[in-house]
Amino acid sequence: MRCLIAVLLFLITACPALADDLQAFSAKLAPLAGIHTVQAEYRQIRLLKSMNFTFEIRGHLYQEQGRRLLWAVSTPLHSVCIFEANSIRLWDAETNKVTTLSGNDMPWLKLLFDYQNSWLSGNLASLNADFEIEVTDAQTLRLVPKRQEFTMFFSAIEIRFRKEFDAIEKLTFSEKNGDSMTIEFSNIKNNQTIPEQTWVLPPK
């Protein structure tokens, strides 16, 4: 009984502290609200734990906050995806063809688009409805999905921000089977004009 009381007392005192930590972290993300465009390079590492195998993808991205996101792969194969609120356009160098997928056929598309906008803008309030959010260190948040459909794809997401809190430095997606995907961002440039030609597919 005394052990149970001790646990309850710990939870009662710890919960406000956790809430305070999250509120303080949210305040540090204020610089993200002033970011309207992002350009960056990335290194994506996929780990398949059961096979003890990793492979790497490199590329770059362009982001217009709330409008569209371009995700380009330069190695090992060249391809480009452009995400918008209601569609995805895909192009690959091998076929030089563009495929368009409608958001009406994929309800999860708008959810995905909204979440990545929330991550990049530091909007924790909008994420809180569908994720348990934990502060793991001075620059990192851990998100655990509440929605069943998300747990099929990942068990947790870790988001590490730059020290200036004006960009995401690293994303880590963990899966229940031990597999993971880590994306590290570099050469990040904020609020620079993105030429309209960038969004044309096939790329010129």
Side-chain angles (χ1 to χ4, degrees), residues 63 65-69 83-86 107-127 130-131 143 147 150:
Q63 165 81 16
Q65 181 61 16
R67 289 194 62 204
R68 48 193 176 179
L69 168 70
F83 297 83
E84 296 178 290
N86 296 306
W108 53 267
L109 176 63
K110 180 161 176 44
L111 278 176
L112 178 65
F113 187 80
D114 289 344
Y115 286 140
Q116 62 91 16
N117 275 323
S118 296
W119 296 339
L120 292 173
S121 65
N123 189 347
L124 300 188
S126 66
L127 293 171
D130 294 319
F131 296 91
L143 280 62
R147 298 171 67 114
F150 294 150

Side-chain angles (χ1 to χ4, degrees), residues 30 42-43 49 51 77 122 144 149 154 158 161 163 194 203:
Y42 71 85
R43 175 174 175 253
K49 186 177 180 181
M51 302 172 62
L77 300 172
V144 177
E149 56 265 44
F154 54 86
E158 285 196 356
F161 297 88
K163 291 181 180 179
I194 300 174

Side-chain angles (χ1 to χ4, degrees), residues 51-63:
M51 302 172 62
N52 192 28
F53 176 73
T54 62
F55 62 93
E56 181 179 304
I57 295 172
R58 289 182 180 265
H60 62 272
L61 68 90
Y62 295 93
Q63 165 81 16

Side-chain angles (χ1 to χ4, degrees), residues 9-51:
L9 286 173
F10 171 78
L11 291 174
I12 291 170
T13 57
C15 287
L18 291 174
D20 290 346
D21 286 348
L22 191 57
Q23 187 174 6
F25 198 103
S26 183
K28 290 193 292 187
L29 297 177
L32 287 172
I35 305 303
H36 306 295
T37 68
V38 179
Q39 302 176 46
E41 298 173 10
Y42 71 85
R43 175 174 175 253
Q44 179 177 319
I45 303 169
R46 180 75 164 128
L47 167 65
L48 302 177
K49 186 177 180 181
S50 62
M51 302 172 62

Side-chain angles (χ1 to χ4, degrees), residues 156-199:
I157 307 169
E158 285 196 356
I159 306 175
R160 183 172 180 83
F161 297 88
R162 289 206 296 191
K163 291 181 180 179
E164 299 83 0
F165 289 94
D166 62 347
I168 293 174
E169 185 174 82
K170 183 166 73 171
L171 282 170
T172 302
F173 295 82
S174 301
E175 301 172 29
K176 290 181 179 179
N177 62 3
D179 293 352
S180 66
M181 181 173 66
T182 300
I183 307 173
E184 300 170 345
F185 300 97
S186 61
N187 196 24
I188 301 170
K189 301 174 183 177
N190 290 330
N191 292 337
Q192 294 191 8
T193 301
I194 300 174
E196 191 61 31
Q197 184 69 23
T198 303
W199 308 100

Side-chain angles (χ1 to χ4, degrees), residues 87-124:
S87 68
I88 299 178
R89 286 182 290 144
L90 312 169
W91 170 86
D92 71 270
E94 186 175 356
T95 64
N96 198 34
K97 291 183 178 180
V98 178
T99 302
T100 300
L101 305 176
S102 170
N104 294 328
D105 300 326
M106 299 173 294
W108 53 267
L109 176 63
K110 180 161 176 44
L111 278 176
L112 178 65
F113 187 80
D114 289 344
Y115 286 140
Q116 62 91 16
N117 275 323
S118 296
W119 296 339
L120 292 173
S121 65
N123 189 347
L124 300 188

